[in-house]
Amino acid sequence: MQFAHRIRTLWSWLPSFRAVGETEHLPTAAAELGVVPSSLSRTVKQLEDELGVPLFDRTGKQLVLNPAGRTLLVAVREAMRIIDDALEIAIGEELRGHASAVAPAELVQALLVPASTVLASSAPQLTLTLLTGRDGISDLLLRGEVDAAVVSQLGPLAPDLRAIELTTWTRGIFARRGRPAGEEERCVVVGSPGEHQDDGWPAGRERRIVAWAPDECTALELCAHSDL
């Protein structure tokens, strides 16, 4: 029962701690929660006093999570995620409410849009928000601002994020239709020179690569606005 008493005492302070821990900035965290910074500061101090250890290193007005604070933040995030999942199951609809996903522009079109059409028919009570972006995706996930992210290359992963391999992604090849028979086939390849050995072009079919593009959207624009 001592365990239950300690958790019950700390429970109401944990969302405030998470907001401060993720921003390391009292005014920003206070604005997110709709409270004044002084109230949030008192809440964090109450939590630290109850635990008997500091959770932040303080330099003037700056707050920086220390090792104890980072350990607690990881646990709080995971606990809140588990509770949120359980609530969705408890009310009888696992896919309802609002969900958001972020991906680079080319993956939004190629993957998120088709997935959204499937979800729209299979989970009519779910409202989706699709976001485009490449930078800061890990921070968006950790703060709970998005529910999922789709990336083509996985960089260093925070310890409390989980990655699932969805599919094998090959580079796109774009060529203009309707060229007269016998003409050399010309194309735009997504990638960079030296990476096209296994890009999927049919074996034995001659071609000339006229351009390399950093992503599918750029490749389509090159095809649309140039005479390939």
Side-chain angles (χ1 to χ4, degrees):
M1 294 301 293
Q2 184 178 1
F3 164 77
H5 173 75
R6 181 172 66 171
I7 296 299
R8 185 167 60 249
T9 302
L10 304 177
W11 192 260
S12 62
W13 299 329
L14 296 180
S16 296
F17 162 73
R18 177 178 178 176
V20 178
E22 288 177 339
T23 62
E24 295 184 327
H25 188 249
L26 279 171
T28 302
E32 289 180 358
L33 297 176
V35 300
V36 296
S38 59
S39 173
L40 200 54
S41 179
R42 285 193 300 270
T43 298
V44 171
K45 188 65 168 61
Q46 285 178 299
L47 177 60
E48 291 179 317
D49 290 344
E50 181 66 27
L51 292 174
V53 296
L55 301 172
F56 296 89
D57 293 330
R58 292 168 170 82
T59 304
K61 295 184 178 181
Q62 186 176 6
L63 295 176
V64 179
L65 277 172
N66 61 25
R70 286 193 293 271
T71 297
L72 182 59
L73 179 59
V74 169
V76 170
R77 284 170 173 159
E78 182 66 10
M80 292 178 72
R81 184 193 63 77
I82 291 172
I83 291 172
D84 185 62
D85 290 346
L87 288 173
E88 291 179 348
I89 295 172
I91 60 180
E93 288 285 349
E94 292 190 47
L95 294 176
R96 66 181 298 171
H98 179 265
S100 57
V102 62
E106 66 273 13
L107 297 187
V108 170
Q109 296 297 324
L111 297 178
L112 293 188
V113 170
S116 298
T117 61
V118 173
L119 281 173
S121 59
S122 62
Q125 298 189 64
L126 183 67
T127 301
L128 295 172
T129 297
L130 305 184
L131 304 173
T132 300
R134 293 179 181 275
D135 301 322
I137 287 178
S138 292
D139 291 336
L140 292 174
L141 288 166
L142 290 172
R143 291 196 299 268
E145 295 180 22
V146 296
D147 299 293
V150 179
V151 296
S152 56
Q153 292 184 335
L154 186 64
L157 201 62
D160 45 347
L161 290 178
R162 293 178 295 174
I164 300 172
E165 184 174 336
L166 298 175
T167 185
T168 300
W169 187 263
T170 58
R171 284 175 291 279
I173 306 169
F174 298 83
R176 188 182 296 277
R177 285 184 175 180
R179 299 195 71 84
E183 279 197 13
E184 178 185 46
E185 290 190 84
R186 294 179 285 177
C187 65
V188 176
V189 177
V190 177
S192 59
E195 295 183 349
H196 62 285
Q197 301 92 320
D198 58 348
D199 59 18
W201 186 266
R205 194 164 169 178
E206 295 296 326
R207 65 162 174 180
R208 183 167 72 87
I209 299 174
V210 298
W212 297 90
D215 53 57
E216 282 80 358
C217 291
T218 304
L220 286 171
E221 289 296 315
L222 284 169
C223 286
H225 299 291
S226 63
D227 182 16
L228 292 178

